[in-house]
């Protein structure tokens, strides 16, 4: 197991770093920064810290363009998670993280540890995690490999969240062939805390202690950060040793203990950080970097699960459920004793030093002595140039659906896994533990009450790779705008976003183009919706055998409901209530679900949409909801108007009689910026004057049957028939 | 009523239970660590849901050895009221305080959903607030909720009226659709559905309040509770 380590000179000639994810230029850069040849441990540390996962070396120039600050943001990107003020002395903390690569290789543990990692990011800030969401993307469930991935990923997410006792309240599951071998597993966690108790991951104050807490360090997930920053190929299908194993029971103890520290031992705590990607090295060196400190760690003191671990293995292990604390000198015993009460390992493993060196001792020898900045600020940054992919230079002609039957097309879309009821997936998640879930999975957004206030938080995840494949800039904007519409539909004011940027190999100009262009769209939409980016992560190299996934930024958005009585759901409530379509409908079929379902592909130019107008419509609708003028609201997305109407009918067990003076096929168009809402007849005047020209009265709620008239076709169908199609589709596909 | 809610490492519905009993039902309630050794002074003890000690071996299999368990057994033997919910039910069967066992759901999947139940016996200390045959809806959230007991035990349970709640649509394969049952004496109830998750209209319903209201009434010495029953 323990092989003879190569000497610095041997490293220079034998180049083992190539297998660790460092290229020759990067090795040369490291040598130059140190003024000498690095030893094996130092090369290993650099390979982890300079990986895309830790250093964002390709994406940093793009990430810098994000809009990250408004008057409510208390802490933006750069820490474990971002923080936004929600009033009444409370703040919301949230972040999302991808675990695509581990989940492709070992779906159960890959997904489980993705959940575990994002939870640690939240409580490292001092926030109590109150909700989880998962954004998943898979290939066609008719493929048995895809079904296996779905089953194991869902099981992994469920087993972790269910056991630790954080409700999984929402998310999304999308299906397209592009994700067949490279599923997307993006987990988001939301926490709540007092505004005056925000922790940062820093190690400051010479002589203060570094305290390692939680699980022991083993040989699992070694150099996982570098693994996640490379592509898959069939030749390297089984890269299992790079995947970690999760233990939610251990994490619950760790979470409870860390929250007790932040609650009751503020005086002793200097900083706290999760050991995530690149494990011990990233947590410790980043804590030193943020405080401009030096640091010495004694690796012999690190609790180890296996004998004879090398410094490289100890530092780059991604064993789960571990945290690093910086504790004021003199308070070590008090903190160690607290963790012992939870039956957790806690050891003082190092001290903050004068100067700026990062030193590691192993069996009495100095095995690493490098400036902190070499591993943090001095990581390379690459300014890539994007090239527009050929498919975007000359888009295919507009998709014309032609003559279609309203009823058979509706049936087809309701049975498509993208639209189908996802209960078969989400019922495997405990959505109610902590007893604050007002709206769980299945609504436009989840709504969770904030105890100790009169408020609630709404939260959603949105992504739509189909749109970005056709136009990354417009598609990026749509992802943000749609997330905002989902929140507004529940009665929430959007506060901010977190994102997982899932793309292909950034060294390929076409992939980088998608990343950079979509960032423009995301930024424009964030400004229009007043939702800054407060946290996020990047997952590049989502390619299999050279083929990239659809560019898929996942937008996790959180909104604020100030009055619990204004929470709104999509379900029709009462016969005779008025049905309005908010926003205009055009023939926007390129990139639509209708196109994917009927042609098996997406093509054509994506229609631009007016962000300013969308934002204004959303503000007016939110104001109307807050005045109790709206009884049900639903945003119009995948599948268009008729699918949205069916959703509301199925959810309420009621029908509708509507007259839509449009060509029948337009009922499946995916024009942006639209909602369907219901209004009690007595509020008609007030609602119409609040909404102005945006609102089009289209019909009324009626019992049991959906009746639709268009320019050229009519439809009459019992709602229970639609419900059956929608509910049975996914269980049938997953069998 | 002064209730103790036990907290094992890995319990995760313990604070939900104290919220339901304390904030919603307005009773005196206290969390008691599984390391504690006494339950003196409490009128009833609740064993809440979660994953005690991770439940890695088998649900409740480690929890039954926790220090608090001998105090709990003494408490039950003295006729004190004990309510076990979800993992609490599993712990009570593992500890021998209730007959039978809870196996994996027949789907082999964790299931979280609102579930219709029929009140099969409204004369126990835990169910007087309901009426016999009443249908209520409570959430379930478990992987191992498939109740099993052998034929002879089941026959006894039915004969004694120990089955308190039955599933209207059996979600997990439980024999005789059993969702909740008492011991022969009627002072210990285990149930898989979560009454503490159904105590507020805001969160979707209040059908679970009846369990707590019944207990509160039983403390006041209301008739038709365990005291009036004549089990051996």
């Amino acid at each position: 197991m323990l092989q003879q380590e190569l000497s610095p000179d041997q490293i220079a000639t034998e180049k083992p770093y190539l297998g660790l994810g460092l290229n020759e230029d990067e090795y040369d850069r490291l040598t130059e920064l140190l003024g000498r040849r690095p030893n094996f441990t130092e090369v290993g540390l650099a390979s982890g810290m300079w990986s895309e996962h830790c250093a964002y070396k390709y994406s940093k120039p793009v990430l810098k363009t994000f809009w990250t600050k408004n008057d409510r943001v208390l802490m933006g990107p750069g820490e474990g998670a971002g923080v936004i003020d929600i009033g009444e002395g409370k703040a919301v903390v949230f972040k999302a993280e991808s675990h695509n690569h581990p989940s492709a290789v070992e779906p159960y543990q890959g997904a489980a540890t993705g959940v575990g990692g994002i939870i640690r990011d939240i409580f490292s800030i001092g926030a109590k995690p109150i909700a989880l969401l998962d954004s998943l993307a898979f290939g066609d469930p008719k493929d048995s490999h895809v079904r296996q991935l779905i089953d194991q990923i869902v099981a992994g997410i469920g087993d972790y969240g269910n056991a630790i006792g954080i409700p999984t309240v929402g998310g999304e599951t999308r299906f397209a062939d592009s994700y067949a071998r490279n599923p997307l597993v993006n987990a988001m966690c939301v926490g709540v805390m007092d505004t005056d108790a925000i922790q940062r991951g820093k190690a400051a104050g010479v002589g203060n202690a570094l305290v390692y807490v939680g699980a022991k360090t083993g040989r699992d997930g070694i150099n996982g950060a570098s693994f996640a920053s490379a592509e898959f190929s069939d030749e390297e299908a089984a890269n299992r040793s790079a995947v970690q194993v999760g233990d939610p029971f251990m994490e619950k103890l760790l979470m409870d203990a860390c929250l007790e520290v932040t609650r009751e031992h503020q005086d002793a705590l200097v900083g706290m950080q999760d050991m995530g990607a690149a494990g011990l090295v990233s947590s410790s060196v980043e804590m030193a970097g943020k405080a401009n400190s030096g640091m010495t760690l004694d690796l012999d003191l690190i609790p180890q699960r296996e004998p004879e671990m090398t410094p490289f293995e100890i530092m780059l292990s991604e064993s789960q459920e571990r945290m690093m604390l910086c504790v004021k000198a003199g308070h070590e015993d008090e903190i160690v004793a607290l963790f012992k009460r939870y039956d957790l390992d806690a050891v003082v493993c190092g001290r903050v030093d004068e100067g700026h060196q990062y030193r590691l001792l192993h069996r009495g020898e100095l095995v690493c002595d490098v400036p902190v900045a070499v591993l943090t600020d001095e990581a390379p940054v690459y300014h890539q140039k994007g090239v527009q992919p050929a498919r975007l230079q000359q888009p295919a002609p507009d998709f014309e659906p032609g003559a279609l039957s309203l009823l058979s097309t509706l049936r087809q879309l309701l049975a498509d896994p993208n639209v189908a009821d996802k209960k078969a997936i989400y019922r495997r998640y405990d959505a109610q533990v902590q007893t604050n879930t007002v709206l769980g999975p299945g609504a436009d957004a989840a709504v969770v009450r904030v105890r100790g206030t009169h408020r609630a938080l709404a939260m959603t995840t949105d992504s739509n790779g189909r749109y970005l494949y056709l136009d990354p800039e417009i598609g990026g904007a749509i992802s943000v705008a749609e997330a905002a519409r989902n929140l507004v539909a529940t009665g929430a004011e959007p506060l901010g976003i977190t994102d997982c940027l899932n793309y292909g190999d950034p060294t390929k100009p076409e992939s980088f183009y998608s990343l950079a262009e979509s960032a423009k769209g995301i930024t424009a939409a964030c400004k229009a919706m007043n939702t800054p980016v407060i946290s996020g992560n990047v997952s590049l190299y989502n390619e299999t055998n050279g083929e990239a996934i659809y560019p898929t930024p996942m937008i996790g958005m959180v909104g604020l409901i100030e009055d619990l009585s204004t929470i709104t759901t999509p379900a029709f409530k009462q016969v005779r209530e008025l049905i309005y379509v908010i926003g205009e409908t055009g023939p926007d079929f390129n990139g639509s679900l209708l196109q994917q379902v009927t042609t098996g592909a997406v093509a054509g130019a994506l229609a631009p949409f007016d962000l300013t107008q969308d934002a204004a419509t959303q503000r007016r609708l939110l104001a109307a909801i807050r005045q109790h003028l709206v009884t049900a609201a639903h945003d119009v997305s995948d599948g268009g108007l008729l699918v949205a109407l069916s959703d509301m009918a199925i959810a309420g067990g009621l029908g509708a009689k509507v007259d839509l003076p449009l060509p029948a096929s337009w009922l499946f168009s995916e024009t942006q910026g639209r909602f369907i809402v219901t209004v009690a007849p007595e509020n008609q005047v007030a609602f119409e004057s609040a909404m102005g020209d945006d609102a089009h009265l289209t019909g009324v709620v009626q019992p049991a049957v959906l009746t639709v008239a268009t320019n050229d076709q009519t439809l009459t169908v019992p709602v229970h028939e639609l419900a059956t199609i929608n509910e049975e589709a996914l269980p049938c596909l997953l069998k | 009523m002064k209730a103790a809610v036990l907290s094992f490492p890995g319990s995760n519905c313990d604070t939900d239970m104290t919220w339901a009993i304390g904030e919603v039902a307005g009773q005196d309630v206290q969390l008691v660590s599984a390391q504690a050794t006494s339950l003196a002074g409490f009128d009833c003890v609740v064993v809440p849901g979660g994953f005690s000690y991770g439940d890695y071996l088998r649900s409740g299999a480690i929890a039954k050895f926790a220090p608090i368990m001998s105090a709990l057994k003494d408490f039950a033997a003295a006729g004190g009221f004990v309510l076990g919910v979800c993992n609490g039910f599993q712990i009570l069967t593992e500890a021998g305080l209730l007959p039978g066992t809870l196996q994996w759901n027949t789907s082999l999947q964790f299931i979280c959903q609102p579930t219709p139940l029929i009140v099969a016996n409204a004369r126990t200390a835990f169910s007087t607030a309901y009426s016999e045959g009443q249908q209520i809806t409570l959430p379930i959230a478990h992987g191992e909720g498939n109740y099993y007991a052998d034929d002879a035990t089941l026959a006894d349970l039915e004969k004694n009226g120990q089955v308190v709640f039955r599933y209207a649509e059996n979600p997990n394969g439980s024999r005789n659709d059993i969702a909740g049952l008492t011991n022969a004496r009627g002072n210990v109830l285990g149930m898989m559905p979560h009454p503490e998750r159904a105590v507020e209209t805001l969160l979707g319903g209040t059908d679970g309040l009846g369990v707590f209201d019944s207990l509160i009434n039983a403390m006041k010495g209301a008739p038709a509770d365990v005291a009036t029953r004549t089990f051996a």
Side-chain angles (χ1 to χ4, degrees):
Chain A
M1 192 72 84
L2 189 64
Q3 59 194 51
Q4 187 63 39
E5 216 164 71
L6 296 175
S7 72
D9 291 340
Q10 285 171 313
I11 291 169
T13 51
E14 293 180 27
K15 304 180 184 176
Y17 50 80
L18 294 176
L20 299 175
L22 279 186
N23 63 32
E24 291 183 347
D25 288 345
E26 288 167 343
Y27 171 78
D28 291 344
R29 178 188 177 87
L30 179 61
T31 306
E32 196 176 308
L33 286 168
L34 296 180
R36 61 176 167 83
R37 286 179 171 167
N39 67 27
F40 189 77
T41 302
E42 292 162 341
V43 166
L45 300 189
S47 79
M49 293 306 297
W50 290 8
S51 68
E52 181 61 32
H53 208 85
C54 291
Y56 301 100
K57 58 190 171 188
Y58 287 104
S59 53
K60 203 178 254 174
V62 173
L63 299 179
K64 276 191 173 155
T65 66
F66 278 149
W67 181 58
T68 58
K69 197 90 194 141
N70 68 7
D71 52 355
R72 283 191 294 224
V73 175
L74 300 177
M75 191 160 82
E79 288 289 340
V83 186
I84 293 180
D85 196 336
I86 58 169
E88 297 188 49
K90 298 281 183 188
V92 62
V93 180
F94 59 93
K95 190 186 181 191
E97 190 149 298
S98 56
H99 244 214
N100 307 335
H101 282 75
S103 303
V105 177
E106 216 296 40
Y108 179 88
Q109 291 296 349
T113 55
V115 174
I118 197 64
I119 293 169
R120 288 193 298 281
D121 278 332
I122 300 307
F123 71 73
S124 74
I125 307 295
K128 176 181 162 61
I130 62 161
L132 291 165
L133 300 94
D134 300 281
S135 173
L136 311 177
F138 298 111
D140 186 343
K142 290 195 187 88
D143 175 342
S144 65
H145 175 71
V146 170
R147 284 201 303 278
Q148 158 85 359
L149 285 177
I150 295 171
D151 181 61
Q152 290 300 299
I153 285 169
V154 169
I157 290 170
D159 284 357
Y160 209 100
N162 297 348
I164 197 170
I166 301 168
T168 300
V169 297
E172 60 182 338
T173 311
R174 296 192 153 272
F175 300 87
D177 289 340
S178 135
Y179 309 107
R181 290 295 178 274
N182 194 133
L184 299 187
V185 178
N186 294 177
M188 172 171 168
C189 187
V190 180
V192 168
M193 67 185 304
D194 293 335
T195 49
D196 57 6
I198 298 171
Q199 299 299 322
R200 286 166 204 270
K202 62 175 194 288
V206 172
N208 285 340
L210 278 311
V211 181
Y212 171 113
V213 302
K216 292 181 180 9
T217 295
R219 283 197 176 94
D220 49 343
I222 289 174
N223 216 13
S226 304
F227 157 69
S229 304
E231 294 156 35
F232 287 126
S233 67
D234 287 341
E235 289 80 47
E236 293 182 74
N239 213 338
R240 282 169 195 268
S241 66
V243 180
Q244 319 83 336
V245 177
D247 178 354
F249 172 59
M250 173 77 81
E251 178 125 320
K252 178 159 178 22
L253 301 178
L254 186 62
M255 173 174 74
D256 291 347
C258 287
L259 289 175
E260 188 179 328
V261 171
T262 60
R263 215 172 42 236
E264 291 166 25
H265 299 266
Q266 285 263 10
D267 294 347
L269 187 65
V270 179
M272 176 158 75
Q273 188 159 328
D274 148 49
M275 287 187 216
L280 193 43
V281 56
S282 77
S283 59
S284 58
V285 81
E286 284 177 8
M287 288 175 81
K290 279 183 266 188
N292 202 19
S293 305
M295 178 183 288
T296 302
L297 300 181
D298 186 342
L299 304 192
D300 299 330
L301 301 175
I302 302 293
Q304 292 163 48
R305 201 193 299 147
E306 298 165 65
E308 301 297 321
M309 287 183 72
T310 66
F312 170 84
E313 289 171 329
I314 294 168
M315 296 308 292
L316 287 163
S317 157
E318 291 186 9
S319 291
Q320 298 292 292
E321 292 93 25
R322 302 177 301 161
M323 301 285 286
M324 181 65 81
L325 274 61
C326 181
V327 172
K328 278 185 195 152
H331 291 270
E332 297 89 342
D333 291 349
E334 144 195 1
I335 296 298
V336 168
L338 186 155
F339 283 95
K340 298 276 183 216
R341 260 204 292 119
Y342 285 87
D343 247 343
L344 292 167
D345 272 321
V347 296
V348 176
C349 64
R351 296 276 167 187
V352 177
D353 291 337
E354 280 182 42
H356 309 286
Q357 287 297 108
Y358 184 70
R359 292 193 183 90
L360 302 177
L361 296 167
H362 184 244
R363 298 182 180 173
E365 283 187 39
L366 192 62
V367 293
C368 165
D369 187 5
V370 302
V372 167
V374 165
L375 297 177
T376 56
D377 298 344
E378 297 289 348
V381 176
Y382 299 117
H383 295 268
Q384 297 293 104
K385 268 210 161 50
V387 171
Q388 191 179 35
R391 69 171 187 278
L392 303 183
Q393 286 166 21
Q394 283 181 323
D398 286 342
F399 170 60
E400 303 280 357
L404 50 72
S405 149
L406 273 181
L407 183 57
S408 62
T409 308
L410 177 60
R411 282 187 171 139
Q412 205 178 351
L413 292 184
L414 288 178
D416 183 83
N418 287 287
V419 170
D421 188 338
K422 307 292 191 298
K423 200 176 288 151
I425 290 173
Y426 68 67
R427 75 171 197 163
R428 296 170 68 180
Y429 307 145
D430 188 338
Q432 293 163 315
V433 63
Q434 297 191 15
T435 54
N436 289 312
T437 308
V438 181
L439 291 181
D444 284 38
V447 175
V448 179
R449 160 181 69 184
V450 180
R451 287 221 186 127
T453 73
H454 302 88
R455 296 165 187 237
L457 293 168
M459 50 200 78
T460 183
T461 66
D462 276 284
S463 63
N464 196 330
R466 291 198 311 270
Y467 293 155
L468 281 106
Y469 181 71
L470 299 188
D471 191 313
E473 183 175 357
I474 298 174
I478 288 175
S479 298
V480 176
E482 195 193 327
R485 285 196 291 274
N486 279 325
L487 296 188
V488 167
T490 65
E493 179 193 6
L495 290 174
I497 73 161
T498 181
D499 58 53
C500 289
L501 303 176
N502 307 286
Y503 293 85
D505 181 346
T507 64
K508 294 180 183 167
E510 288 82 5
S511 273
F512 187 77
Y513 174 88
S514 298
L515 174 64
E517 290 298 301
S518 56
K520 287 183 195 164
I522 289 169
T523 299
C526 282
K527 288 179 177 168
M529 306 297 158
N530 192 24
T531 52
V533 180
I534 63 159
S535 61
N537 96 321
V538 174
S539 171
L540 306 180
Y541 305 94
N542 287 288
E543 301 199 357
T544 305
N545 299 331
E547 197 62 36
I549 57 161
Y550 286 159
T552 313
M554 189 289 292
I555 305 298
M557 191 181 281
V558 174
L560 180 62
I561 292 167
E562 291 181 354
D563 172 356
L564 297 172
S565 73
T566 61
I567 295 168
T568 306
T569 69
F572 285 149
K573 305 291 185 309
Q574 286 268 348
V575 169
R576 280 192 295 282
E577 288 191 337
L578 308 175
I579 299 173
Y580 288 84
V581 172
I582 312 292
E584 306 306 319
T585 301
D588 296 319
F589 297 107
N590 296 337
S592 66
L593 185 64
L594 181 69
Q595 186 185 30
Q596 178 176 304
V597 167
T598 55
T599 72
V602 296
L606 198 60
F609 76 110
D610 188 336
L611 271 172
T612 315
Q613 195 183 335
D614 190 2
T617 303
Q618 291 186 29
R619 274 195 296 276
R620 279 194 287 275
L621 179 58
L622 180 60
I625 290 174
R626 287 183 164 182
Q627 292 167 60
H628 297 100
L629 295 177
V630 174
T631 50
H634 188 27
D635 89 304
V636 179
S637 59
D638 270 2
L641 281 175
L642 200 50
V643 166
L645 267 174
S646 304
D647 288 344
M648 298 175 80
I650 293 167
L654 290 169
K657 183 174 170 46
V658 298
D659 188 357
L660 291 157
L662 304 166
S665 64
W666 289 27
L667 270 56
F668 305 105
S669 144
E670 294 182 9
T671 308
Q672 293 302 301
R674 296 179 298 162
F675 294 90
I676 300 177
V677 306
T678 61
V679 173
E682 63 269 25
N683 288 325
Q684 179 173 4
V685 175
F687 177 75
E688 287 179 4
S689 73
M691 291 307 294
D693 294 341
D694 287 344
H696 308 288
L697 181 58
T698 23
V700 293
V701 178
Q702 69 178 10
V705 177
L706 185 60
T707 312
V708 181
T710 66
N711 286 353
D712 46 301
Q713 260 186 69
T714 57
L715 164 84
T716 303
V717 60
V719 172
H720 71 81
E721 194 180 312
L722 301 177
T724 304
I725 294 169
N726 195 235
E727 283 162 15
E728 290 181 354
L730 198 57
C732 196
L733 282 166
L734 294 180
K735 244 174 210 147
Chain B
M1 176 174 89
K2 187 173 182 195
V5 174
L6 303 190
S7 183
F8 297 85
S11 292
N12 64 28
C13 302
D14 45 351
T15 54
D16 300 355
M17 191 60 83
T18 56
W19 171 269
I21 296 174
E23 299 292 324
V24 182
Q27 302 301 304
D28 196 358
V29 62
Q30 204 176 308
L31 272 182
V32 174
S33 162
Q35 298 303 313
T37 49
S38 164
L39 288 164
F42 292 104
D43 300 317
C44 85
V45 179
V46 183
V47 192
F51 289 74
S52 50
Y53 303 92
D55 274 348
Y56 289 124
L57 179 59
R58 191 175 66 241
S59 295
I62 304 293
K64 75 174 166 192
F65 297 112
I68 194 67
M69 290 307 286
S70 33
L72 182 66
K73 284 176 186 168
D74 292 346
F75 186 88
F81 293 118
V82 177
L83 167 64
V85 173
C86 200
N87 193 224
F89 185 9
Q90 295 161 342
I91 292 169
L92 294 178
T93 59
E94 283 288 334
L97 287 170
L98 286 173
T101 191
L102 293 143
Q103 310 181 23
W104 261 98
N105 298 344
T106 43
S107 66
L108 298 181
Q109 290 179 351
F110 188 94
I111 303 172
C112 173
Q113 64 187 25
T115 301
L117 304 173
I118 307 291
V119 179
N121 181 348
R123 290 165 291 111
T124 75
F126 306 90
S127 59
T128 51
Y130 301 109
S131 51
E132 205 123 319
Q134 184 185 349
Q135 179 162 329
I136 60 173
T137 300
L138 296 182
I140 60 165
H142 58 246
E144 294 165 63
N146 176 358
Y147 183 77
Y148 178 84
D150 60 30
D151 292 342
T153 308
L154 277 180
D156 273 353
L157 291 177
E158 296 291 356
K159 188 175 64 166
N160 293 342
Q162 286 172 246
V163 179
V164 181
F165 300 108
R166 278 187 224 276
Y167 298 110
E169 298 157 22
N170 193 334
N172 53 23
S174 290
R175 293 198 79 184
N176 290 20
D177 302 324
I178 290 171
L181 79 160
T182 65
N183 58 350
R185 190 172 174 184
N187 66 319
V188 178
L189 172 79
M191 60 191 293
M192 289 313 295
H194 287 268
E196 82 282 10
R197 294 187 181 188
V199 294
E200 294 177 87
T201 310
L202 178 70
L203 305 185
T206 57
D207 282 358
L209 272 177
V211 172
F212 305 106
D213 288 343
S214 302
L215 269 173
I216 293 164
N217 284 333
M219 300 307 156
K220 291 179 188 155
D225 67 9
V226 63
T228 67
R229 300 175 65 179
T230 51
F231 295 117

